[in-house]
Amino acid sequence: MSVANDIGRRAYIARLVQKIADPAQAILGYQELVIEAVVENGPAEALPDLEKVLGAARDLNLLIKRLLEMEASQTAGIFTVDSELRHDLRTPMNAILGYSEMVMEDFSDVLAAGVADDIAKIIEESQFLLEQIDGRLDVFSDDPDEKPTDHIDVTIAADLARSIAARVAPSSDETGRILVVDDTASNRDLLNRRLTRDGHLVTVAGSGEEALRILETQGFDLALADILMPDMNGIELLSRLKSHERLREIPVIMISGLKDDDAIIRCIEAGAEDYLHKPIDPVLLRARITACLERSRWRERERRYLAQIEFEKERADTLLDAILPRQVVKRLADGEKVIADRIDMATIVFADIVNFTEFAARTPPITLVQRLGELFSRFDELADQHGIEKIKTIGDAYMAAAGLPDPRPDHAQAAVAFAKAMLAETCQMTGERPLELRIGINSGPVIAGLIGRKRFVYDVWGHTVNVASRMESCGTPGRIQISQSTFDALGPDVVECHRQIRDIHGIGKYPTYLLL
């Protein structure tokens, strides 16, 4: 910017300060008349708010007086930062408008007609003064007489907010716990009272550091933070919140007297939910907070739904893990449609409860199911301990396999150890009628795969399975009978056993080994 242009800029803003001096003095004059009338005729309850308006009006006039004196002394650079000047002017304006509007809302039915008219004039002069600030204190261009139109957008937004608020009144679902952070006491008080009136639970903090201390022990649905604060500005506070794992989800609305697009952009980039200018229009404030809380609640609902979906998924996975091998569950999750494998060598274990039909006929149903459930649950635990895959239960029969779905070289040894543990567990169970197992084992190639869609079943097929079933059915109660192939697979680990040639149904003469 040229020197001439800079001189024109300072002269232009100086004229602006002189122009806003008249409405500022009018506001002060009207307010003094209002207080005199209320002191004389009441209502006395309105005096605390009216005194705050008077104090803000005096602050405003004192600020303008200092600006005029600086201009008269030609202090260089006094008006070089338009945004800071606007902020300084808006701070008392926020108090004047806010408290005046609250007096009109709270005491309109008891105020004398003349007093109400004077307060209306104060509000009108305040709005005119704001138009002068917003309409003429924008970024200076080569044409000082250029009239900016940004305030038109603000007016449209405010009108839209009023129309929304007129249609939708705040409900209990739209209220929340709100933290207000502002270093100006009147701003905190006005926001506190307005938000409390709308049903919100409000906590105030006079600085960013105080806000962080409060957030350590309290939870909030929303925070309103001023940008210009002495110890920690609002953008720094916002950054601290968004970098904190627990606090980053709290939506933040930034508030400031700055009419600075760069500040707005920085706030949004730092994670702000919205931005409001001072003095705050109460209707616009309500609309923004309602919308913000609603968005926050939708996000919370979304988090709950996602958590519920994840919970249901984990529960479904747990159920699948309980009925299918872990490797098969993974293949299903990876999208494999048909799961079928040929296992070159595995060992199949069949265990059956001896005389279970007679036992069932003499046992109450509840007792029967409880005893069978306890026994098979213990078998499941033993299977996990020995690395055995439970295949299924068929009535009172328990079928398991070693060496599938993942092959293992010691499948026969693992199966025999598991079978011995099953016998020992059955002997330890107490009851009026002790249970007794008959176990058969065979080793060889099998086909394993997943069948069904409504109810998945992981099963095994082949001659090896049939022979294992025959080893059990022709075995001896309380003993383990193994086939020749299992005996061979045990190799040097074979245990003491009794060999015999059995006539096996469907197989013929076949050597078997009864473990001692």
Side-chain angles (χ1 to χ4, degrees):
M1 183 179 293
S2 66
V3 174
N5 203 16
D6 182 56
I7 294 173
R9 172 190 179 87
R10 288 189 284 115
Y12 170 65
I13 298 179
R15 290 197 302 272
L16 168 64
V17 175
Q18 292 173 340
K19 188 167 185 178
I20 64 177
D22 289 340
Q25 291 171 3
I27 291 170
L28 179 58
Y30 281 123
Q31 187 61 24
E32 290 171 344
L33 293 174
V34 166
I35 289 182
E36 290 175 4
V38 171
V39 168
E40 184 176 349
N41 301 311
E45 295 84 355
L47 281 174
D49 286 347
L50 293 174
E51 291 288 351
K52 292 174 183 176
V53 175
L54 180 62
R58 288 171 176 167
D59 290 343
L60 175 64
N61 278 271
L62 184 60
L63 173 62
I64 294 174
K65 180 181 178 182
R66 284 202 300 264
L67 292 173
L68 287 170
E69 290 173 350
M70 291 177 180
E71 187 275 331
S73 63
Q74 299 181 351
T75 301
I78 183 62
F79 300 126
T80 57
V81 185
D82 297 345
S83 59
E84 292 183 7
L85 174 58
R86 177 182 286 108
H87 178 272
D88 291 343
L89 291 170
R90 278 179 171 271
T91 299
M93 291 303 305
N94 187 56
I96 293 169
L97 266 175
Y99 285 115
S100 296
E101 290 171 347
M102 294 196 76
V103 169
M104 291 291 280
E105 293 171 9
D106 293 340
F107 305 103
S108 59
D109 55 340
V110 294
L111 288 173
V115 171
D117 289 342
D118 285 345
I119 295 177
K121 291 174 183 176
I122 291 171
I123 294 174
E124 182 180 356
E125 290 290 343
S126 299
Q127 290 171 341
F128 172 76
L129 194 152
L130 282 172
E131 289 177 2
Q132 297 300 309
I133 296 173
D134 287 340
R136 292 184 174 272
L137 199 55
D138 284 289
V139 177
F140 186 73
S141 67
D142 291 335
D143 182 6
D145 294 325
E146 180 182 345
K147 295 181 179 180
T149 58
D150 289 350
H151 65 286
I152 297 176
D153 295 333
V154 176
T155 303
I156 293 173
D159 290 343
L160 178 60
R162 288 188 179 89
S163 66
I164 294 173
R167 294 195 304 268
V168 183
S171 67
S172 59
D173 291 338
E174 295 167 342
T175 60
R177 298 163 300 170
I178 300 179
L179 175 64
V180 173
V181 188
D182 198 307
D183 63 314
T184 303
S186 61
N187 292 342
R188 294 195 302 272
D189 181 53
L190 281 169
L191 284 171
N192 185 4
R193 290 172 59 179
R194 287 202 178 281
L195 297 175
T196 300
R197 180 177 295 178
D198 287 340
H200 302 289
L201 297 176
V202 184
T203 302
V204 298
S207 67
E209 293 292 348
E210 182 183 358
L212 291 175
R213 289 195 296 271
I214 292 172
L215 287 165
E216 289 178 358
T217 58
Q218 299 183 45
F220 295 92
D221 300 309
L222 176 66
L224 301 177
D226 188 25
I227 287 186
L228 295 182
M229 293 186 290
D231 66 329
M232 177 190 300
N233 66 49
I235 296 178
E236 291 172 341
L237 173 62
L238 178 62
S239 299
R240 291 276 293 273
L241 295 180
K242 295 307 175 182
S243 63
H244 193 286
E245 183 176 358
R246 181 177 63 86
L247 304 178
R248 65 168 59 115
E249 298 299 330
I250 300 176
V252 180
I253 296 178
M254 305 303 295
I255 298 175
S256 178
L258 299 174
K259 191 177 180 184
D260 184 353
D261 290 342
D262 182 61
I264 298 175
I265 292 171
R266 289 177 61 195
C267 289
I268 299 302
E269 288 177 344
E273 192 80 10
D274 212 330
Y275 190 99
L276 285 170
H277 290 289
K278 293 179 183 177
I280 301 171
D281 185 305
V283 180
L284 189 60
L285 173 68
R286 181 181 297 123
R288 294 283 179 84
I289 287 180
T290 300
C292 188
L293 289 175
E294 183 61 22
R295 286 195 299 270
S296 179
R297 291 195 171 95
W298 273 110
R299 285 194 289 266
E300 180 59 31
R301 292 188 195 105
E302 182 182 23
R303 283 192 291 269
R304 288 200 301 268
Y305 292 151
L306 290 175
Q308 182 65 27
I309 291 171
E310 186 63 25
F311 171 78
E312 296 295 342
K313 180 180 180 297
E314 290 178 358
R315 187 168 68 169
D317 290 343
T318 301
L319 290 173
L320 281 176
D321 287 338
I323 61 176
L324 299 176
R326 183 181 66 258
Q327 302 90 325
V328 173
V329 173
K330 183 178 185 306
R331 291 166 68 179
L332 273 176
D334 291 341
E336 198 168 336
K337 300 297 183 183
V338 179
I339 297 177
D341 301 300
R342 181 181 298 276
I343 310 299
D344 293 334
M345 187 59 71
T347 298
I348 306 299
V349 178
F350 271 98
D352 191 46
I353 299 176
V354 179
N355 296 328
F356 184 78
T357 302
E358 179 185 349
F359 172 73
R362 298 180 180 181
T363 305
I366 294 178
T367 304
L368 177 70
V369 172
Q370 284 180 340
R371 290 200 65 185
L372 195 61
E374 291 173 2
L375 181 62
F376 283 1
S377 295
R378 183 58 184 147
F379 287 173
D380 291 344
E381 294 174 2
L382 292 173
D384 290 339
Q385 293 173 14
H386 289 81
I388 304 297
E389 192 64 50
K390 174 186 176 181
I391 302 302
K392 59 185 174 183
T393 59
I394 309 170
D396 60 320
Y398 190 98
M399 178 184 178
L404 60 84
D406 291 334
R408 56 184 296 180
D410 62 340
H411 54 89
Q413 290 85 347
V416 170
F418 172 60
K420 289 182 176 181
M422 293 173 75
L423 283 178
E425 185 65 33
T426 305
C427 293
Q428 292 175 8
M429 293 193 70
T430 59
E432 295 181 5
R433 297 176 60 86
L435 300 179
E436 197 171 23
L437 283 185
R438 187 173 56 228
I439 300 177
I441 302 177
N442 183 40
S443 303
V446 297
I447 300 296
L450 192 65
I451 59 173
R453 281 293 176 265
K454 186 175 181 181
R455 292 180 181 176
F456 288 117
V457 175
Y458 183 74
D459 212 340
V460 292
W461 304 270
H463 179 69
T464 300
V465 178
N466 296 333
V467 173
S469 178
R470 297 291 189 273
M471 292 296 99
E472 177 275 314
S473 61
C474 70
T476 302
R479 306 290 291 275
I480 301 170
Q481 183 165 252
I482 66 174
S483 67
Q484 180 67 53
S485 59
T486 301
F487 180 85
D488 295 339
L490 288 171
D493 296 323
V494 68
V495 295
E496 187 178 355
C497 57
H498 174 69
R499 185 179 186 275
Q500 55 187 341
I501 302 297
R502 305 291 298 270
D503 189 4
I504 307 298
H505 177 70
I507 298 177
K509 299 295 182 179
Y510 191 83
T512 67
Y513 298 83
L514 199 62
L515 302 186
L516 300 179

